[in-house]
Amino acid sequence: MNAAKQRLLDRIDGDRELLIAYLRDFIRLPSPNPPGDTISSAQHVRQLLDARGISYRVIAPEPTMPNIVASFDGGRPGRHLALNGHIDVFPAGDGAGWTRDPWGAELIDGRIYGRGACDMKSGTTASLFTFLYLHEIREELHGRLTLSIVSDEETFGPWGARYLVEHHPEIIGDCCLNAEPTGRNTFRFGEKGPLWLRFTVRTHGAHGAYVHRSPSATSIASKVIGELEKLTDLSPAEVGNLTALFDAAAPTVDREWGDGAAHNLRRITVNPGLMRGGVKVNMVAAECVFEVDIRLPNGFDDADIRREVDAIVTRHPEVSYEQIVYNPPNWTSPDTEMAVLVRANARAVSGIEPMPVVSLGCTDARLWRYKDVPAIVFGPSPIEMGGVDEYVEVEEFLDVVRTHTLSAFDYLSRP
């Protein structure tokens, strides 16, 4: 470890209590999406930037979902690195099932509990402090560093990173480093593609005793869902050398994300996440609406799935459907420069060298990959992401801060 990097590590170690306190205060500011109001959480970020004398822009095409963008130039010419994180989180509902306050940020046995603890206020904190630490030594660096902290990520909405990439392409740069959850043992160089479909079933309806008068919309919906689940039987496409990489990473993926995760990386998954139908138990339902989340591995696209779905709907004339969201599967070379830096620095700070994997879920890093810009993701464990009692391990969080700071420093230390 050279002297400059050791000084950065010493700086982070000296800020240990500050980092923990900042993250806990961040979690205590609810920012569930929906509804997506992130004003108080965004203000938490702005207060720190103001205190450090950092100039920034607030870009808010939707006033309740502000995005914060800050940049600085190094002392010498070089490349442009983008750091990206988000401040909206999954809803916590009424807190049912939680044993900790979802917004309490309790620190217990080395874990910080709360909605957004791992997804992704710890990762966003890592990106923010990486920016601050490198700003202090900016004259030693080459190129430019841009930080974008965005809203509206959890629903793939139009007011966050999508808006910035489309309307403020100056944030894109030559490489993106993101701290969404991965776990110490993996980093992500790609991700599956979400395809969300909304189905509507309409029938005449009838009295519940007169089932001969009308087919049931809810019954038809259940049949369609059953047929949709057969999409999981489609053979995964071959993707060249990546197939061998997936096979090698499979044991690590299952340990990090739970048994079965590696299998799902290479197959289509189908989740009927929402269903509304019927009016009363003794009536034949005249309408049912359900939404399905289909995840496509690399090698498939939406046209492959739409052909299968069209065939299913043709067999059920009462059914129509529409596409809500589609983001194609995407990937960066697992050997790109930032991937090499993240692997080396993660090993240096924790003793664990993370393996390259593809993400089951979707992140804003995809937007950089769609622009042919390398994007690497490394963050804390995702195992309780979106679940009750979500938490982040303090030491894992601090290792993410260290790894991001050192990797960004290495990238900007080169002409």
Side-chain angles (χ1 to χ4, degrees):
M1 183 89 47
N2 66 37
K5 292 174 72 172
Q6 187 58 56
R7 286 194 297 271
L8 286 169
L9 289 179
D10 293 342
R11 182 81 168 83
I12 294 167
D13 289 344
D15 278 351
R16 177 187 177 91
E17 296 308 316
L18 169 64
L19 285 159
I20 294 169
Y22 186 87
L23 173 57
R24 295 181 70 193
D25 286 343
F26 206 2
I27 294 167
R28 291 186 183 112
L29 297 167
S31 51
N33 188 10
D37 185 335
T38 62
I39 290 175
S40 62
S41 283
Q43 185 61 27
H44 186 58
V45 174
R46 295 177 63 186
Q47 285 172 347
L48 181 58
L49 293 172
D50 288 336
R52 299 295 179 90
I54 305 293
S55 61
Y56 59 88
R57 291 179 291 161
V58 177
I59 302 171
E62 162 52 55
T64 63
M65 296 181 176
N67 306 296
I68 300 165
V69 176
S71 293
F72 69 79
D73 290 312
R76 288 162 283 184
R79 299 167 298 175
H80 184 182
L81 176 62
L83 305 174
N84 169 259
H86 67 84
I87 51 182
D88 57 324
V89 302
F90 282 121
D94 61 2
W98 287 72
T99 64
R100 314 294 181 194
D101 180 353
W103 312 111
E106 298 174 64
L107 175 55
I108 302 171
D109 296 330
R111 294 175 173 178
I112 301 172
Y113 288 87
R115 177 59 82 225
C118 73
D119 181 21
M120 74 168 292
K121 287 185 174 177
S122 54
T124 299
T125 299
S127 296
L128 173 58
F129 276 84
T130 293
F131 183 89
L132 294 176
Y133 293 138
L134 295 190
H135 183 268
E136 293 173 357
I137 58 169
R138 58 192 178 278
E139 292 304 318
E140 303 174 27
L141 303 177
H142 294 266
R144 185 174 181 83
L145 184 62
T146 291
L147 172 71
S148 58
I149 295 181
V150 304
S151 302
D152 207 18
E153 190 272 348
E154 295 292 3
T155 60
F156 307 112
W159 308 123
R162 274 174 50 196
Y163 181 88
L164 294 183
V165 167
E166 291 170 4
H167 299 277
H168 296 274
E170 66 273 13
I171 75 160
I172 296 172
D174 301 307
C175 177
C176 177
L177 180 59
N178 179 292
E180 286 270 22
T182 64
R184 278 195 181 105
N185 292 290
T186 66
F187 72 88
R188 299 178 180 180
F189 65 92
E191 53 196 49
K192 296 175 72 175
L195 172 63
W196 293 358
L197 303 177
R198 180 183 294 117
F199 294 81
T200 302
V201 188
R202 289 191 174 91
T203 65
H204 182 73
H207 187 287
Y210 286 66
V211 295
H212 57 286
R213 295 286 296 165
S214 173
S216 163
T218 50
S219 179
I220 292 170
S222 67
K223 292 182 175 69
V224 171
I225 289 171
E227 294 183 42
L228 289 170
E229 288 177 343
K230 294 179 182 177
L231 293 171
T232 62
D233 297 332
L234 294 176
S235 298
E238 291 297 321
V239 282
N241 292 336
L242 291 185
T243 299
L245 189 152
F246 292 144
D247 291 342
T252 301
V253 168
D254 278 348
R255 282 198 307 272
E256 197 72 44
W257 305 344
D259 289 343
H263 176 62
N264 284 338
L265 275 181
R266 296 298 304 126
R267 72 177 191 129
I268 295 168
T269 58
V270 177
N271 172 46
L274 182 66
M275 175 179 278
R276 299 182 298 271
V279 192
K280 199 167 180 282
V281 68
N282 64 338
M283 295 175 66
V284 174
E287 181 175 280
C288 183
V289 177
F290 62 97
E291 297 178 6
V292 180
D293 176 358
I294 302 171
R295 301 281 168 149
L296 311 183
N298 293 86
F300 284 104
D301 62 30
D302 62 328
D304 300 321
I305 304 306
R306 295 287 290 263
R307 283 193 295 270
E308 300 290 334
V309 173
D310 287 343
I312 292 170
V313 169
T314 298
R315 295 193 289 271
H316 300 279
E318 303 90 350
V319 180
S320 61
Y321 80 97
E322 61 182 318
Q323 181 175 299
I324 308 171
V325 164
Y326 175 59
N327 286 281
N330 53 89
W331 60 286
T332 288
S333 168
D335 297 318
T336 194
E337 180 182 357
M338 183 55 74
V340 174
L341 295 176
V342 166
R343 292 184 82 167
N345 285 307
R347 182 178 64 246
V349 302
S350 70
I352 300 170
E353 182 171 341
M355 297 190 69
V357 300
V358 167
S359 171
L360 291 171
C362 196
T363 73
D364 279 339
R366 76 193 187 283
L367 300 169
W368 275 261
R369 298 188 192 112
Y370 293 157
K371 298 290 185 180
D372 294 323
V373 173
I376 295 298
V377 178
F378 179 76
S381 171
I383 197 67
E384 293 298 342
M385 179 172 58
V388 298
D389 289 346
E390 179 180 345
Y391 67 85
V392 65
E393 299 274 359
V394 168
E395 294 307 321
E396 193 171 41
F397 158 58
L398 294 173
D399 277 349
V400 172
V401 178
R402 296 180 182 108
T403 300
H404 277 244
T405 300
L406 296 184
S407 299
F409 172 82
D410 283 340
Y411 187 86
L412 295 174
S413 294
R414 303 176 183 181

